Amino acid sequence: DSGVTQTPKHLITATGQRVTLRCSPRSGDLSVYWYQQSLDQGLQFLIQYYNGEERAKGNILERFSAQQFPDLHSELNLSSLELGDSALYFCASSVVSYTEAFFGQGTRLTVV
Amino acid sequence: EDQVTQSPEALRLQEGESSSLNCSYTVSGLRGLFWYRQDPGKGPEFLFTLYSAGEEKEKERLKATLTKKESFLHITAPKPEDSATYLCAVQTGGTSYGKLTFGQGTILTVHP
């Protein structure tokens, strides 16, 4: 158990809908990262927050947004969902930016 | 753009048959190289961080090494429970902060 908690574990939704994925980082970790893993693209970095502020952005779609709250948990919002958004979404956390990140068990999103 | 290439894509070993996985990288300013293990449907599990050429880290049957262009993950006398996908990732400095760029992974299967 990495100490990073993601909910829900599975999510099935229809195209055009909006979903929210939740992540609780390890106790004491200030940095939270979101990654997307699909069969053809591998693990792709989406966005990083550090102590509530956005720090780095990857190829995150405009339909996707995230935030980190004062209690350091984070949410990833995915809207206007398309079939191609079906993937595993991972949250990871680290103490600060340049240390090892620990991953949660992921949320499997299926868009039908 | 940072690039990470892992080889081979898949590796099948007999129990006890030692081998190595390769991770070659092209980055501007390596800050750290990370190895993770991922079981199907699970989040990546942190194994090692390497920061400078010549550095080596060991954990049970695994040993990671780093040169200026590549890293190796050596597996000595593997057991079936070592079967997993092994992921290599790089972290650079500057505005990338804690972002990890992952390779596509090596799928290791160890037969009893």
mmCIF file of all heavy atoms in Angstrom, chain A residues 4-9 21-24 34 89-92 103-107:
data_model
loop_
_atom_site.group_PDB
_atom_site.id
_atom_site.type_symbol
_atom_site.label_atom_id
_atom_site.label_comp_id
_atom_site.label_asym_id
_atom_site.label_seq_id
_atom_site.Cartn_x
_atom_site.Cartn_y
_atom_site.Cartn_z
ATOM 1 N N VAL A 4 -1.344 6.376 -1.029
ATOM 2 C CA VAL A 4 -2.099 7.285 -1.884
ATOM 3 C C VAL A 4 -3.447 6.627 -2.181
ATOM 4 O O VAL A 4 -3.486 5.484 -2.643
ATOM 5 C CB VAL A 4 -1.358 7.561 -3.208
ATOM 6 C CG1 VAL A 4 -2.182 8.474 -4.100
ATOM 7 C CG2 VAL A 4 0.012 8.163 -2.923
ATOM 8 N N THR A 5 -4.515 7.347 -1.918
ATOM 9 C CA THR A 5 -5.857 6.782 -2.073
ATOM 10 C C THR A 5 -6.598 7.462 -3.208
ATOM 11 O O THR A 5 -6.675 8.701 -3.251
ATOM 12 C CB THR A 5 -6.673 6.955 -0.776
ATOM 13 O OG1 THR A 5 -5.963 6.345 0.299
ATOM 14 C CG2 THR A 5 -8.037 6.284 -0.914
ATOM 15 N N GLN A 6 -7.122 6.644 -4.115
ATOM 16 C CA GLN A 6 -7.903 7.186 -5.230
ATOM 17 C C GLN A 6 -9.307 6.603 -5.203
ATOM 18 O O GLN A 6 -9.490 5.426 -4.945
ATOM 19 C CB GLN A 6 -7.260 6.831 -6.573
ATOM 20 C CG GLN A 6 -5.962 7.546 -6.838
ATOM 21 C CD GLN A 6 -5.468 7.282 -8.242
ATOM 22 O OE1 GLN A 6 -4.435 6.649 -8.445
ATOM 23 N NE2 GLN A 6 -6.214 7.793 -9.235
ATOM 24 N N THR A 7 -10.276 7.467 -5.471
ATOM 25 C CA THR A 7 -11.663 7.017 -5.596
ATOM 26 C C THR A 7 -12.311 7.692 -6.786
ATOM 27 O O THR A 7 -11.951 8.837 -7.125
ATOM 28 C CB THR A 7 -12.472 7.343 -4.322
ATOM 29 O OG1 THR A 7 -12.388 8.755 -4.063
ATOM 30 C CG2 THR A 7 -11.955 6.559 -3.132
ATOM 31 N N PRO A 8 -13.264 7.039 -7.470
ATOM 32 C CA PRO A 8 -13.581 5.617 -7.294
ATOM 33 C C PRO A 8 -12.540 4.738 -7.985
ATOM 34 O O PRO A 8 -11.679 5.231 -8.691
ATOM 35 C CB PRO A 8 -14.942 5.510 -7.994
ATOM 36 C CG PRO A 8 -14.862 6.513 -9.095
ATOM 37 C CD PRO A 8 -14.060 7.661 -8.550
ATOM 38 N N LYS A 9 -12.623 3.447 -7.794
ATOM 39 C CA LYS A 9 -11.710 2.509 -8.465
ATOM 40 C C LYS A 9 -12.133 2.294 -9.917
ATOM 41 O O LYS A 9 -11.305 2.121 -10.796
ATOM 42 C CB LYS A 9 -11.681 1.173 -7.734
ATOM 43 C CG LYS A 9 -10.919 1.207 -6.420
ATOM 44 C CD LYS A 9 -10.751 -0.172 -5.838
ATOM 45 C CE LYS A 9 -9.790 -0.193 -4.659
ATOM 46 N NZ LYS A 9 -10.082 0.795 -3.637
ATOM 47 N N LEU A 21 -12.565 12.667 -10.471
ATOM 48 C CA LEU A 21 -11.735 11.655 -9.828
ATOM 49 C C LEU A 21 -11.062 12.305 -8.630
ATOM 50 O O LEU A 21 -10.591 13.444 -8.721
ATOM 51 C CB LEU A 21 -10.670 11.138 -10.799
ATOM 52 C CG LEU A 21 -11.137 10.743 -12.197
ATOM 53 C CD1 LEU A 21 -9.993 10.144 -12.998
ATOM 54 C CD2 LEU A 21 -12.311 9.804 -12.143
ATOM 55 N N ARG A 22 -10.967 11.547 -7.532
ATOM 56 C CA ARG A 22 -10.457 12.104 -6.296
ATOM 57 C C ARG A 22 -9.180 11.403 -5.857
ATOM 58 O O ARG A 22 -9.023 10.199 -6.059
ATOM 59 C CB ARG A 22 -11.516 12.002 -5.208
ATOM 60 C CG ARG A 22 -11.251 12.823 -3.971
ATOM 61 C CD ARG A 22 -12.385 12.655 -2.969
ATOM 62 N NE ARG A 22 -12.339 13.648 -1.908
ATOM 63 C CZ ARG A 22 -11.556 13.597 -0.839
ATOM 64 N NH1 ARG A 22 -10.731 12.572 -0.692
ATOM 65 N NH2 ARG A 22 -11.585 14.545 0.083
ATOM 66 N N CYS A 23 -8.293 12.171 -5.246
ATOM 67 C CA CYS A 23 -7.011 11.622 -4.796
ATOM 68 C C CYS A 23 -6.643 12.204 -3.445
ATOM 69 O O CYS A 23 -6.644 13.426 -3.256
ATOM 70 C CB CYS A 23 -5.920 11.974 -5.806
ATOM 71 S SG CYS A 23 -4.240 11.619 -5.247
ATOM 72 N N SER A 24 -6.297 11.326 -2.504
ATOM 73 C CA SER A 24 -5.737 11.752 -1.212
ATOM 74 C C SER A 24 -4.276 11.353 -1.186
ATOM 75 O O SER A 24 -3.963 10.155 -1.271
ATOM 76 C CB SER A 24 -6.483 11.100 -0.054
ATOM 77 O OG SER A 24 -7.803 11.555 -0.002
ATOM 78 N N TRP A 34 -1.049 13.943 -11.638
ATOM 79 C CA TRP A 34 -2.035 13.118 -12.324
ATOM 80 C C TRP A 34 -1.420 12.591 -13.616
ATOM 81 O O TRP A 34 -0.781 13.342 -14.375
ATOM 82 C CB TRP A 34 -3.299 13.910 -12.642
ATOM 83 C CG TRP A 34 -4.145 14.194 -11.447
ATOM 84 C CD1 TRP A 34 -4.155 15.324 -10.690
ATOM 85 C CD2 TRP A 34 -5.117 13.316 -10.864
ATOM 86 N NE1 TRP A 34 -5.077 15.213 -9.667
ATOM 87 C CE2 TRP A 34 -5.681 13.989 -9.760
ATOM 88 C CE3 TRP A 34 -5.567 12.022 -11.161
ATOM 89 C CZ2 TRP A 34 -6.668 13.415 -8.945
ATOM 90 C CZ3 TRP A 34 -6.538 11.459 -10.361
ATOM 91 C CH2 TRP A 34 -7.078 12.152 -9.263
ATOM 92 N N TYR A 89 -6.489 6.279 -14.834
ATOM 93 C CA TYR A 89 -6.002 7.574 -14.367
ATOM 94 C C TYR A 89 -5.359 7.369 -13.003
ATOM 95 O O TYR A 89 -5.993 6.879 -12.068
ATOM 96 C CB TYR A 89 -7.134 8.591 -14.301
ATOM 97 C CG TYR A 89 -7.614 8.977 -15.676
ATOM 98 C CD1 TYR A 89 -8.555 8.191 -16.347
ATOM 99 C CD2 TYR A 89 -7.102 10.093 -16.328
ATOM 100 C CE1 TYR A 89 -8.975 8.518 -17.631
ATOM 101 C CE2 TYR A 89 -7.513 10.425 -17.605
ATOM 102 C CZ TYR A 89 -8.444 9.627 -18.254
ATOM 103 O OH TYR A 89 -8.849 9.956 -19.522
ATOM 104 N N PHE A 90 -4.085 7.747 -12.926
ATOM 105 C CA PHE A 90 -3.338 7.580 -11.685
ATOM 106 C C PHE A 90 -3.030 8.918 -11.052
ATOM 107 O O PHE A 90 -2.693 9.893 -11.730
ATOM 108 C CB PHE A 90 -2.014 6.852 -11.941
ATOM 109 C CG PHE A 90 -2.169 5.397 -12.263
ATOM 110 C CD1 PHE A 90 -1.997 4.940 -13.555
ATOM 111 C CD2 PHE A 90 -2.478 4.482 -11.263
ATOM 112 C CE1 PHE A 90 -2.135 3.604 -13.858
ATOM 113 C CE2 PHE A 90 -2.623 3.137 -11.559
ATOM 114 C CZ PHE A 90 -2.458 2.699 -12.860
ATOM 115 N N CYS A 91 -3.088 8.911 -9.749
ATOM 116 C CA CYS A 91 -2.611 10.024 -8.955
ATOM 117 C C CYS A 91 -1.334 9.557 -8.262
ATOM 118 O O CYS A 91 -1.218 8.377 -7.889
ATOM 119 C CB CYS A 91 -3.674 10.401 -7.924
ATOM 120 S SG CYS A 91 -3.132 11.534 -6.657
ATOM 121 N N ALA A 92 -0.387 10.446 -8.118
ATOM 122 C CA ALA A 92 0.838 10.143 -7.386
ATOM 123 C C ALA A 92 1.134 11.315 -6.473
ATOM 124 O O ALA A 92 0.671 12.435 -6.706
ATOM 125 C CB ALA A 92 2.005 9.896 -8.334
ATOM 126 N N PHE A 103 2.496 6.105 -6.265
ATOM 127 C CA PHE A 103 1.265 6.080 -7.038
ATOM 128 C C PHE A 103 0.124 5.401 -6.289
ATOM 129 O O PHE A 103 0.340 4.446 -5.529
ATOM 130 C CB PHE A 103 1.487 5.330 -8.350
ATOM 131 C CG PHE A 103 2.220 6.128 -9.390
ATOM 132 C CD1 PHE A 103 3.583 6.353 -9.280
ATOM 133 C CD2 PHE A 103 1.557 6.667 -10.480
ATOM 134 C CE1 PHE A 103 4.272 7.099 -10.238
ATOM 135 C CE2 PHE A 103 2.214 7.404 -11.437
ATOM 136 C CZ PHE A 103 3.574 7.619 -11.318
ATOM 137 N N GLY A 104 -1.070 5.885 -6.552
ATOM 138 C CA GLY A 104 -2.265 5.212 -6.081
ATOM 139 C C GLY A 104 -2.609 4.046 -6.982
ATOM 140 O O GLY A 104 -1.895 3.762 -7.954
ATOM 141 N N GLN A 105 -3.725 3.370 -6.671
ATOM 142 C CA GLN A 105 -4.119 2.193 -7.433
ATOM 143 C C GLN A 105 -4.895 2.534 -8.692
ATOM 144 O O GLN A 105 -5.206 1.655 -9.480
ATOM 145 C CB GLN A 105 -4.951 1.254 -6.545
ATOM 146 C CG GLN A 105 -4.118 0.614 -5.449
ATOM 147 C CD GLN A 105 -2.956 -0.180 -6.010
ATOM 148 O OE1 GLN A 105 -3.135 -1.196 -6.679
ATOM 149 N NE2 GLN A 105 -1.725 0.283 -5.768
ATOM 150 N N GLY A 106 -5.201 3.804 -8.876
ATOM 151 C CA GLY A 106 -5.810 4.234 -10.125
ATOM 152 C C GLY A 106 -7.318 4.185 -10.150
ATOM 153 O O GLY A 106 -7.956 3.502 -9.339
ATOM 154 N N THR A 107 -7.875 4.939 -11.086
ATOM 155 C CA THR A 107 -9.300 4.888 -11.413
ATOM 156 C C THR A 107 -9.405 4.447 -12.860
ATOM 157 O O THR A 107 -8.821 5.080 -13.750
ATOM 158 C CB THR A 107 -9.966 6.266 -11.250
ATOM 159 O OG1 THR A 107 -9.966 6.646 -9.876
ATOM 160 C CG2 THR A 107 -11.402 6.228 -11.773
#
